[in-house]
């Protein structure tokens, strides 16, 4: 099958087959050994549940105080080395470092079936699986949080925390010191290898009047060559940036992987958290309890933090009672689920000269070049490097607040005697580009809840995509911009970049390129933006749906905070890794202030 599909690129096919398997094998071996580093009954000052984008930052910052004993517990394994390679990003998806959550089927989206929602189950969490795009979002998104009554969360309040982490490696961008900084733990930089089509895409947007912008600077609407969370051609997850440099040196920081927290221990009378129950991920009967002198911090991500809270007795009374869980605090945990929604259906065919698929010899040379110097195509992400931010006609045209982001995913389609075969290759190897219009100010709200009190069952996820028709309208507009404007640019036409007008199978009953066709794609081929958030939102006392206060403390319960994407009250117009890191930086300072 492999040799039928791509005789000239056997090595690419081999990588696509081999790398995910290698990741699975490594995780399996890593999980065999019991967590010798943790013992039932131990005491710490802070226990952090989940070593993802947020949890790694919080553990790192709190352990700066040498008197504080900090424990970070992560359900997944150690970060595998393959994920360091930017080009290999897609090979970690749907492996054992991915929770592979399944949404509830709904006729309004995902073609009536479940969609897979990928999320990191590994030290570093989402920052290990993600596309590494560094995007903070618009100042208005944070000002909206403040306007809701979350004091201290306006853009001017949070900007110093973005800068605190940042080590910006591109001097022309770093020079704008109002927005950027150097010297932080997180390297943010353009990729060493520039994809030839990324520049072409920038030119196409420019032909339509969009200027090149630094999306993390003063203006967001426009086109850009993105900055990524990487250093010298190697991914920089929050594990690599915030934990690895200190893991051996700090005696007060303990990081334990392959251990799942099954419950936060809360005194029901005093309503105070005092520890957690855990189970070994591989042999679940091996369980224990560890205790926190100061606080328990839940950083399990927007799809798992609600589950951890609910299993501990914090959540909507009706749901907990139905699941047989004793209620400690009746809060709207799990509601307010938000995401950016998209679809993978607008594809451009590339002329011969624009295709980047390599021969076996070239693939081998690229591997060697990366191994020796961390340079060459494997240090890149192909067309993903470019991105456009536009205002659909439903956005406020008077202000700079784009509501559509284009993610430009490389694709490989090979024609064989058996028909078209699509497969995943390293990002910089492709012969098509998928323009994925993502609705960045989506209004539809879903929810996440527990199946029952078993901590090993996946949560129930109901995204309610396109429940608000405004999201569908913005999406259709985003599609029309690509199909009608971008596809007609001289820049694209000159080099033979043309729209693939073959309708996708489930929408071939509708005329290609019409609004009805785009709507059909949206509903049949719904695709997550991977930006799950909002499920333990912060809010003022007057907001009865708020789970946390603006200090991220769980309402009505002492010594318990949530710090991750779930605290977001309204999802802004950016990817979420940078905002989550900012949230963790700010929250760490809040904790230091509270216990000084
Ligand atoms: C495929 C993909 C691509 C993405 N691309 C981008 C991008 O290019 N740019 C961007 O900005 N954002 C991107 N994102 C989104 C971004 O990475 C996430 O929003 C971010 O990582 C979320 O951080 P978090 O700390 O809230 O949760 P996570 O990083 O998911 O961390 C939660 C951690 O808690 C652990 N955990 C869960 N339950 C338990 C438990 N009971 N006990 C112990 N541990 C537990 C999990 O295993 C996980 O490691 C992407 C996400 C994905 C999945």
């Amino acid at each position: 099958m492999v040799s039928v599909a791509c005789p000239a690129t056997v090595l690419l096919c081999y990588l696509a087959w081999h790398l995910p398997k290698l990741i699975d094998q490594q995780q399996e071996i890593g999980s065999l050994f019991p967590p010798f580093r943790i013992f039932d009954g131990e005491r710490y000052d802070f226990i952090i549940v989940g070593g993802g984008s947020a949890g790694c930052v919080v553990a790192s910052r709190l352990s700066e105080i040498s008197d504080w004993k900090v424990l970070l517990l992560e359900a997944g394994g150690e970060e595998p080395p393959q994920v360091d390679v930017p080009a290999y990003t897609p090979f970690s998806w749907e492996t054992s470092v991915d929770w592979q959550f399944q949404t509830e089927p709904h006729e309004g989206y995902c073609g009536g079936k479940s969609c897979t929602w990928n999320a990191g189950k590994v030290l570093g969490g989402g920052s290990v699986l993600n596309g590494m795009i560094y995007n903070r979002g618009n100042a208005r998104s944070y000002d909206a949080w403040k306007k809701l009554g979350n004091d201290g969360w306006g853009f001017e309040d949070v900007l110093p925390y973005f800068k605190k982490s940042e080590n910006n490696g591109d001097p022309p961008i770093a020079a704008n010191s109002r927005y950027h900084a150097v010297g932080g733990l997180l390297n943010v930089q353009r990729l060493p290898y520039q994809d030839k089509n990324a520049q072409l895409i920038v030119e196409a947007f420019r032909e339509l009047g969009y200027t090149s912008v630094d999306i993390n600077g003063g203006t967001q609407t426009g086109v850009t060559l993105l900055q990524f969370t990487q250093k010298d051609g190697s991914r920089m997850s929050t594990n690599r940036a915030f934990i690895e440099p200190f893991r051996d040196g700090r005696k007060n920081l303990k990081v334990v992987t392959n251990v799942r927290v099954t419950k936060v221990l809360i005194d029901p009378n005093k309503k105070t958290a005092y520890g957690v129950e855990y189970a070994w991920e591989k042999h679940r009967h091996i369980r224990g309890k560890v205790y926190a002198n100061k606080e328990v911090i839940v950083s399990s991500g927007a799809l798992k933090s609600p589950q951890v809270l609910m299993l501990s007795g914090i959540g909507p009374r009706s749901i907990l009672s139905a699941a047989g869980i004793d209620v400690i605090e009746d809060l709207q945990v799990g509601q307010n689920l938000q995401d950016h929604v998209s679809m993978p259906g607008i594809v451009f065919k590339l002329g011969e000269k624009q295709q980047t698929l390599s021969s076996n010899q070239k693939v081998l040379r690229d591997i060697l070049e990366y191994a020796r110097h961390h340079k060459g195509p494997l240090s890149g992400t192909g067309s993903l490097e470019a991105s456009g931010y536009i205002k659909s006609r439903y956005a406020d045209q008077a202000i700079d607040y784009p509501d559509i982001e284009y993610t430009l995913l490389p694709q490989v389609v090979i024609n064989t005697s058996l028909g078209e075969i699509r497969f995943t290759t390293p990002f910089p190897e492709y012969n098509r580009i998928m323009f994925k219009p993502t609705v960045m100010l989506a209004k539809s709200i879903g929810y996440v809840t527990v199946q029952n009190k078993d901590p090993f069952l996946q949560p129930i996820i109901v995204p309610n995509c396109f429940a608000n028709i405004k999201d569908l309208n913005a999406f259709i507009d985003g599609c029309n911009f690509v199909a009608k404007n971008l596809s007609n640019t001289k820049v694209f036409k000159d080099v033979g970049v043309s729209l693939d007008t073959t309708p996708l199978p489930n929408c071939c009953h509708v005329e290609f390129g019409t609004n009805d066709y785009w709507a059909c794609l949206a509903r049949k081929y719904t695709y997550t933006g991977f930006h799950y958030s909002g499920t333990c939102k912060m809010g003022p006392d007057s907001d009865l749906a708020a789970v946390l206060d603006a200090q991220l403390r769980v309402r009505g319960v002492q010594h318990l905070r949530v710090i991750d994407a779930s605290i977001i009250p309204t999802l802004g117009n950016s990817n979420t890794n940078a905002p989550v890191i900012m949230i963790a930086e700010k929250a760490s300072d809040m904790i230091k202030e509270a216990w000084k």
Side-chain angles (χ1 to χ4, degrees):
M1 158 99 167
V2 163
S3 56
V4 170
C6 44
T9 53
V10 171
L11 260 175
L12 286 177
C13 298
Y14 175 73
L15 287 175
W17 173 80
H18 176 67
L19 284 170
K21 288 207 163 30
L22 195 61
I23 290 176
D24 284 341
Q25 282 161 5
Q26 285 163 349
Q27 296 300 304
E28 174 69 17
I29 292 167
S31 69
L32 288 176
F33 305 101
F36 292 120
R37 303 188 66 235
I38 184 172
F39 298 101
D40 189 23
E42 283 182 338
R43 293 201 80 85
Y44 295 83
D45 291 303
F46 294 93
I47 298 173
I48 298 150
V49 183
S53 292
C56 288
V57 178
V58 176
S60 180
R61 292 304 185 191
L62 295 186
S63 60
E64 286 171 349
I65 311 276
S66 55
D67 290 344
W68 287 353
K69 271 181 79 180
V70 176
L71 175 66
L72 176 62
L73 293 175
E74 166 56 41
E78 298 291 328
E79 185 172 354
Q82 298 86 334
V83 300
D84 290 349
V85 186
Y88 292 165
T89 297
F91 297 133
S92 61
W93 302 346
E94 301 190 18
T95 68
S96 50
V97 297
D98 180 355
W99 285 97
Q100 305 177 52
F101 295 115
Q102 299 298 314
T103 62
E104 290 296 298
H106 186 288
E107 61 185 28
Y109 47 91
C110 298
K113 304 190 180 123
S114 291
C115 265
T116 301
W117 275 21
N118 312 89
K121 185 185 183 191
V122 58
L123 191 60
S127 69
V128 172
L129 266 64
N130 70 20
M132 302 181 295
I133 294 169
Y134 185 77
N135 180 6
R136 298 169 178 176
N138 199 277
R140 288 177 179 82
S141 297
Y142 302 97
D143 289 341
W145 296 3
K146 189 171 182 174
K147 229 182 244 168
L148 288 171
N150 297 296
D151 290 340
W153 290 95
F155 183 67
E156 291 305 327
D157 304 305
V158 302
L159 180 58
Y161 288 103
F162 281 114
K163 290 166 74 175
K164 181 173 183 181
S165 309
E166 184 182 10
N167 183 39
N168 202 301
D170 294 313
I173 296 176
N176 183 355
S177 58
R178 155 112 175 96
Y179 293 101
H180 295 290
V182 289
L185 293 172
L186 183 72
N187 205 74
V188 176
Q189 199 167 1
R190 287 197 171 135
L191 295 159
Y193 181 79
Q194 231 191 43
D195 180 80
K196 63 179 174 188
N197 291 311
Q199 192 54 46
L200 190 79
I201 291 159
V202 169
E203 294 309 323
F205 272 87
R206 287 169 68 93
E207 186 183 321
L208 295 173
Y210 290 88
T211 49
S212 291
V213 290
D214 163 19
I215 49 163
N216 299 307
T219 307
Q220 217 189 4
T221 310
V223 63
T224 193
L225 289 180
L226 292 159
Q227 289 195 297
F228 292 83
T229 44
Q230 62 86 23
K231 188 165 195 282
D232 301 330
S234 218
R235 171 188 294 274
M236 203 172 222
S237 66
T238 54
N239 170 44
R240 298 265 191 263
F242 291 87
I243 294 295
E244 260 186 16
F246 312 109
R247 194 161 173 185
D248 294 332
R250 281 191 194 154
K251 298 292 168 233
N252 62 328
L253 170 64
K254 194 185 274 190
V255 180
V256 185
T257 51
N258 292 306
V259 167
R260 185 185 299 218
V261 168
T262 51
K263 184 182 182 175
V264 179
L265 298 167
I266 302 171
D267 182 325
N269 301 318
K270 294 187 192 147
K271 294 204 177 178
T272 301
Y274 61 92
V276 301
E277 266 179 21
Y278 64 84
W280 184 21
E281 189 66 20
K282 183 76 183 170
H283 294 291
R284 294 170 174 177
H285 61 280
I286 305 178
R287 293 177 178 235
K289 291 179 186 165
V290 279
Y291 301 100
N293 298 328
K294 290 186 166 64
E295 290 192 22
V296 175
I297 295 153
V298 179
S299 297
S300 307
L303 302 175
K304 292 290 278 181
S305 284
Q307 186 183 30
V308 171
L309 289 189
M310 288 190 213
L311 294 171
S312 316
I314 302 169
R317 182 175 296 281
S318 56
I319 291 174
L320 299 194
S321 302
I325 300 168
D326 291 338
V327 182
I328 291 180
E329 195 65 19
D330 181 5
L331 293 173
Q332 293 301 299
V333 173
Q335 308 299 302
N336 194 44
L337 172 63
Q338 296 171 52
D339 186 24
H340 293 137
V341 66
S342 185
M343 146 324 280
I346 312 187
V347 174
F348 280 86
K349 293 179 182 171
L350 302 182
E352 194 95 347
K353 280 195 178 149
Q354 298 312 121
Q355 300 185 8
T356 64
L357 276 182
S358 302
S359 64
N360 294 325
Q361 290 87 334
K362 168 85 168 47
V363 172
L364 208 56
R365 276 203 306 277
D366 292 346
I367 292 174
L368 288 175
E369 186 182 6
Y370 187 82
R372 285 198 195 124
H373 310 294
H374 273 203
K375 294 216 166 84
L378 295 190
S379 67
T381 56
S383 57
L384 189 69
E385 205 186 322
S387 191
Y389 296 81
I390 71 152
K391 291 183 261 189
S392 78
R393 63 195 162 112
Y394 303 98
D396 185 341
Q397 304 301 315
I399 57 174
D400 168 45
Y401 200 8
D403 61 339
I404 301 287
E405 176 189 70
Y406 292 102
T407 307
L408 309 176
L409 279 175
Q411 268 209 336
V412 183
V413 178
I414 306 274
N415 289 310
T416 71
S417 51
L418 302 174
E420 265 192 5
I421 297 182
R422 287 162 199 262
F423 67 105
T424 308
T425 54
F427 266 155
E429 303 280 345
Y430 60 94
N431 58 9
R432 312 250 167 131
I433 299 178
M434 183 207 297
F435 275 64
K436 202 157 74 69
T438 306
V439 181
M440 296 304 274
L441 291 172
K443 312 260 180 317
S444 305
I445 305 279
Y447 65 89
V448 48
T449 186
V450 288
Q451 296 189 38
N452 58 36
K453 60 177 171 190
D454 183 347
F456 290 97
L457 289 181
Q458 295 223 354
I460 295 172
I461 301 168
V462 181
N464 283 336
C465 306
F466 302 115
N468 188 321
I469 199 71
K470 286 181 181 164
D471 296 348
L472 190 63
N473 290 338
F475 171 80
I476 290 171
D477 214 39
C479 293
N480 280 328
F481 173 83
V482 178
K484 295 192 172 140
N485 301 358
L486 266 179
S487 70
N488 286 316
T489 55
K490 185 169 177 316
V491 171
F492 275 7
K493 285 190 168 159
D494 282 353
V495 294
V497 175
S498 61
L499 193 64
D500 185 347
T501 54
T502 320
L504 291 189
N506 294 338
C507 295
C508 57
H509 58 287
V510 193
E511 190 186 340
F512 181 92
T514 57
N515 286 357
D516 286 347
Y517 180 74
W518 304 131
C520 177
L521 289 191
R523 296 204 182 275
K524 301 281 189 205
Y525 295 93
T526 321
Y527 202 72
T528 171
F530 308 116
H531 300 154
Y532 334 117
S533 45
T535 49
C536 304
K537 73 166 180 170
M538 63 174 166
D541 293 350
S542 55
D543 182 352
L544 298 181
V547 175
L548 314 172
D549 65 14
Q551 298 281 310
L552 311 189
R553 294 173 296 211
V554 173
R555 293 184 162 278
V557 181
Q558 305 292 309
H559 298 181
L560 182 61
R561 288 184 216 241
V562 179
I563 304 175
D564 57 24
S566 63
I567 74 115
I568 292 172
T570 47
L571 182 56
N573 73 339
S574 69
N575 307 57
T576 36
N577 195 43
V580 166
I581 294 170
M582 173 279 290
I583 289 166
E585 288 278 21
K586 187 168 164 59
S588 301
D589 264 13
M590 288 172 172
I591 295 171
K592 286 179 176 174
E593 184 62 26
W595 291 94
K596 75 176 176 199

